[in-house]
Amino acid sequence: MSGWLYLSVAIVAEVIATLALTASQGFTRSCPSLLVAIGYGLAFWCLAQTLKSIPVGVAYAIWSGVGIVLISMIGWLVFRQTLDFAAVLGMSLIVAGVMVINLFSRSVAH
């Protein structure tokens, strides 16, 4: 599997684990708590596999940036959490940063 596919799985697993963390209610609910452990375990394992072919700084920037934006969008859409102008602007800058890394950085192994 390619580093980019591992990175994609790591991002999805981290997002699912973070959503389950909310549902676990402080680890008082078993099923969501188990999903948190499995999700973060899978996310970090996939991130470790990613680092075999993608530099750590690039991989971590993309992993954390995309994760932040996805979690925020799901929070807004599903949980009706509000996002003010500053939050939307900040996330737009994160997306722009990820795009700049992917499109223009020589550090990224395509």
Side-chain angles (χ1 to χ4, degrees), residues 4-16 18-19 47 57-75 90-102:
W4 294 107
L5 187 54
Y6 276 119
L7 184 57
S8 298
V9 173
I11 291 166
V12 170
E14 185 262 336
V15 167
I16 291 169
T18 301
L19 293 172
L47 185 61
V58 172
Y60 192 74
I62 293 169
W63 181 62
S64 59
V66 172
I68 289 167
V69 171
L70 287 176
I71 288 293
S72 297
M73 289 175 60
I74 292 168
M91 285 185 281
S92 299
L93 292 171
I94 291 170
V95 170
V98 169
M99 289 175 61
V100 165
I101 289 169
N102 279 302

Side-chain angles (χ1 to χ4, degrees), residues 31-84:
C31 287
S33 298
L34 182 61
L35 191 55
V36 169
I38 292 169
Y40 281 130
L42 178 61
F44 281 105
W45 184 83
C46 286
L47 185 61
Q49 301 312 305
T50 298
L51 299 181
K52 292 177 181 178
S53 60
I54 299 173
V56 66
V58 172
Y60 192 74
I62 293 169
W63 181 62
S64 59
V66 172
I68 289 167
V69 171
L70 287 176
I71 288 293
S72 297
M73 289 175 60
I74 292 168
W76 177 68
L77 290 169
V78 175
F79 303 117
R80 303 287 185 224
Q81 296 172 345
T82 59
L83 296 173
D84 61 10

